[in-house]
Structures are given as structure tokens and as C-alpha cells.
Amino acid sequence: MKSIFSTDITNSNFSHLRWLAFFALFFLLAGCSSIDYYKNAVNGHFEILRKAEPIEEVVSRDATSPELKKKLLNMQQARDFASKTLLLPDNGSYRRYADIGRECVAWNVIAAEEFSVEPKQWCFPVAGCVSYKGFFSPRQAKQYAAELRKQGLDTYVAGALAYSTLGWFDDPILSTMLSHRESHCIEVLFHELAHQKLYIENDTAFNEAFATAVAEEGIRRWFVKTNNKAYEDFLASRQQKNDFNTLILSTREKLNALYRQGISPEAMRQQKAKLFSQLKFDYKEFKKHWNGDDRYDAWMSKELNNAHLALVATYNDLVPIFNLVLLQSNGDMKTFYERIFAISSQPFEDRHQTLRRIYAHRVTGVPVTVLSK
């Protein structure tokens, strides 16, 4: 996940100037109704900055638990690996640690029309248009979601473990990033650094698929390098994630087909409710083969709507195409990035047409010629 509102700051005068320029741009371009939003965002980020400390200091402190020391040292090794092996930015990001004392760093509001699977877009200076709106306060996120529901929109509030400032400033490792198993923690690190490598305004699907593909390849190489037996568990976990995403995408496609039928709103609502009931039933059947894995139980226990499904395609649809480009690059990250950067330089429609052509030609094994803008 990348942030549309958060930045980091170092002690240099230049960084202070960048900080001021960054938020001056926000405040100059924001309407009056947005001023409070950006003000709260700045305050929320400063709260994190006040808690960020150099990792060496945290690790050397006697009061730091052995478990936390081990996790931080492991993350630092993965951070170095990201730059040396994955060719991700080598900067000050993820060299400090902030214990923020809560389970999520931010809460994102996702919304969709009652009869649409497409997520609502929010547009911001610098970041462009994205498919969610983030808040540092769960109360504010829920309040905003309630306002959207009054407008007839389906909404979902999702907690986020990390965010990226897209390379504007150095981002710290957050305590929320360390709350899961090793593979997930490192994958989040690679994902957020990938956003610093490449980010295109107004193309969430491209950005998230790129970061996801880089992170997945990164975690594979990390486990090969470290010869970690946990990799088998990671592969099993990823397969279950893929199964779950397939189930969600299938329901999303059925809903999309329903919404195009042009039947009465009441009939549409009834069919919509049946499809979500079927999704819950199908999930229970899927789980029978997951050896007791219940990670999605809490999510599935919610009253599901279009917003819950809206971002699944955004984060996953294009990933196989990026994986294919990496394969055609013989696993060479430099060549992979060169091809992806060339694609990213094209206008939106041309860019996605190129991606579709790459996937359509996958059987031949011959890379599609990519012309830069």
C-alpha cells in the first residue's frame, strides 16, 4: 500500500525543505473541506516520526526483547537484500523502527456503487487517483464510511500494516509490519520498496500488480538464499491465498454480470444477496482442504458487499503478466525493470493494451516489443 498523505523527515535542512514543499503543495491544491483531512494526516504521521528510532539503537538496548531484536536484525538483512538482489532503492527507508502501539498503521476506506464492482476513486496531489482513502484514525475512517453509506454506496474499512511515501522521504519499519510470520513481514517490506522504485499516477492496478510481483519474486529469492525451511509453509500459504482470491474474483465476475442485466433494483438486490450467501458457503467448502487455516474467517464473517471485493482484482489481475515479463527477462531484474519502465511510460490505454498483448502471446514465449512513449 502506498500513502496518499504521509511523509517522513530526516535531520537535514534539505529534507525539511522537501517536507515543507510537499505539504505546501497539498494545502495549496486542497479545497477547504480537505484541509482538516490533510491536517489530521500530517499530525498522524508526526506521531509516528516521534516514535521512530535507529534500528541499531533499538537492538543494542537491554530492554528490547530478544524476539524483537531477532525480527529487526532479520528485517535489516532483508532490507540489504532488497537493494543488492532485487535492485530496489538503496536509501534511508526502513532503517529505523517505530513502535506505534496499535494493530494497524492506517485504515483505508473502500467504496463502490450499490450495483457496481468498480471501486470509487479519490484524487490527490502527487499521488494522483487511487481506489481508497486512508486515515490514521479508525474512528475517522468509520465515520467517513458511514457518510458514504448514507449516499447509497457500499463501503469497507480495511486496516493497513504499512504505507509508502513513494520515495519522497525515508519510511520506518513499523511494529505493525512485524505482527505476522517472517515471510509476510519481508514481503510487505519488498512491496513498499517496489512502490518507491516505480509508481504511476492514476493507475492503481498497474502499481499494485508491479509491487506484488516484485515482492513475490523477492520472497522466493530470499528463502532460496537463506535456505529457510519456512518456505514450504509460505508456498502452502500462498496457494491458499490464491485459492481465496480465485473464489473472490469468481463472485466478483458473477456480480458484474448481474449488474449489467438491467433488471429492477429490487430484483438486483435479491440476486446480489444470494451471490454473497453462495460465496460464504463456497468458502466453507474451500476451507476443508486448508488444514485448519482460518485466516479469512473474520473477513468472511462480515456483512459482505461490493466494496469488500472491489480491490481484489486491482491487486491481482495483472500480476501474472508481470510474472511473465520477468520470466521472459530470464529472471534478470535489471532487464525486467527496463521493460516495465518502458511500458509504464506509455499512455494509460496503450500501456494496458501492451500488457494484454504480452499475456496473449505467452504461449509463443516470444517477448512483445515495447515502445516507450
Side-chain angles (χ1 to χ4, degrees):
M1 170 200 153
K2 70 240 146 265
S3 172
I4 54 174
F5 49 66
S6 307
T7 57
D8 200 358
I9 191 168
T10 66
N11 293 324
S12 70
N13 290 331
F14 179 62
S15 292
H16 279 84
L17 289 174
R18 285 201 298 174
W19 169 269
L20 292 173
F22 187 83
F23 282 108
L25 175 63
F26 269 169
F27 287 117
L28 284 172
L29 297 182
C32 293
S33 62
S34 300
I35 295 297
D36 285 342
Y37 173 75
Y38 289 123
K39 179 181 177 181
N40 291 332
V42 172
N43 290 337
H45 190 66
F46 265 119
E47 177 190 353
I48 293 174
L49 294 181
R50 286 193 293 269
K51 296 178 179 179
E53 305 174 274
I55 288 177
E56 315 87 74
E57 294 183 10
V58 178
V59 171
S60 64
R61 194 175 298 141
D62 292 338
T64 303
S65 70
E67 181 183 8
L68 178 57
K69 288 182 180 181
K70 181 179 179 181
K71 286 183 176 181
L72 288 175
L73 289 173
N74 196 44
M75 289 290 277
Q76 285 305 277
Q77 291 177 5
R79 177 65 185 85
D80 292 336
F81 178 86
S83 295
K84 293 176 182 177
T85 303
L86 302 178
L87 308 184
L88 293 174
D90 187 4
N91 53 30
S93 289
Y94 308 111
R95 304 292 187 185
R96 293 183 300 154
Y97 171 70
D99 185 347
I100 61 175
R102 56 181 188 261
E103 62 180 9
C104 297
V105 64
W107 287 262
N108 295 326
V109 176
I110 302 110
E113 297 288 343
E114 182 183 9
F115 301 130
S116 173
V117 294
E118 296 301 323
K120 173 181 169 60
Q121 297 287 303
W122 286 269
C123 297
F124 301 88
V126 181
C129 298
V130 294
S131 302
Y132 50 81
K133 186 171 184 177
F135 296 82
F136 279 120
S137 163
R139 179 187 60 79
Q140 292 175 346
K142 292 176 182 178
Q143 182 179 24
Y144 183 64
E147 293 173 2
L148 294 178
R149 283 196 298 274
K150 290 180 181 178
Q151 300 173 25
L153 297 176
D154 284 3
T155 65
Y156 170 45
V157 177
L161 302 180
Y163 61 83
S164 171
T165 61
L166 306 178
W168 273 74
F169 302 94
D170 297 336
D171 300 320
I173 288 177
L174 306 173
S175 52
T176 51
M177 296 171 64
L178 305 181
S179 59
H180 290 67
R181 65 181 70 183
E182 175 193 357
S183 58
H184 186 76
C185 297
I186 294 175
E187 194 170 14
V188 169
L189 173 68
F190 293 162
H191 186 104
E192 300 305 336
L193 276 171
H195 281 314
Q196 292 190 18
K197 182 77 173 183
L198 175 63
Y199 177 82
I200 310 170
E201 286 189 14
N202 308 329
D203 199 340
T204 304
F206 187 99
N207 295 327
E208 296 302 339
F210 168 74
T212 298
V214 170
E216 288 183 353
E217 176 63 14
I219 198 67
R220 184 190 71 80
R221 296 188 186 196
W222 169 257
F223 277 125
V224 170
K225 175 184 179 294
T226 58
N227 194 27
N228 195 321
K229 294 181 179 179
Y231 188 45
E232 293 183 5
D233 293 336
F234 170 73
L235 290 178
S237 175
R238 176 179 289 178
Q239 183 57 55
Q240 290 164 356
K241 176 184 175 182
N242 290 340
D243 289 344
F244 181 75
N245 286 339
T246 298
L247 181 63
I248 297 300
L249 287 171
S250 175
T251 302
R252 186 176 183 274
E253 290 173 3
K254 292 174 184 176
L255 286 166
N256 193 34
L258 168 66
Y259 299 151
R260 294 176 182 273
Q261 288 182 11
I263 59 179
S264 69
E266 185 55 38
M268 200 104 72
R269 291 187 187 99
Q270 292 177 1
Q271 291 299 315
K272 175 182 176 181
K274 288 182 180 179
L275 285 173
F276 277 112
S277 294
Q278 185 64 45
L279 170 60
K280 295 195 175 211
F281 175 82
D282 292 341
Y283 171 71
K284 292 179 181 178
E285 293 300 305
F286 263 80
K287 267 194 62 180
K288 293 179 180 179
H289 309 287
W290 285 1
N291 298 320
D293 191 317
D294 61 357
R295 81 184 88 164
Y296 298 112
D297 281 10
W299 191 86
M300 290 297 298
S301 67
K302 300 177 184 296
E303 185 177 345
L304 302 179
N305 60 46
N306 294 331
H308 288 82
L309 277 57
L311 291 188
V312 177
T314 299
Y315 276 72
N316 295 279
D317 268 4
L318 301 180
V319 173
I321 304 177
F322 284 92
N323 290 340
L324 182 59
V325 174
L326 181 60
L327 179 65
Q328 293 174 345
S329 303
N330 296 317
D332 182 76
M333 297 304 294
K334 183 174 183 295
T335 303
F336 168 71
Y337 291 139
E338 287 174 350
R339 292 200 71 206
I340 296 302
F341 270 68
I343 296 170
S344 71
S345 70
Q346 299 175 335
F348 184 93
E349 292 299 333
D350 293 345
R351 181 189 314 145
H352 283 264
Q353 184 177 18
T354 297
L355 292 174
R356 289 191 292 270
R357 285 173 52 227
I358 289 173
Y359 196 67
H361 286 75
R362 67 190 181 281
V363 178
T364 66
V366 179
V368 170
T369 300
V370 178
L371 300 177
S372 299
K373 179 179 178 181

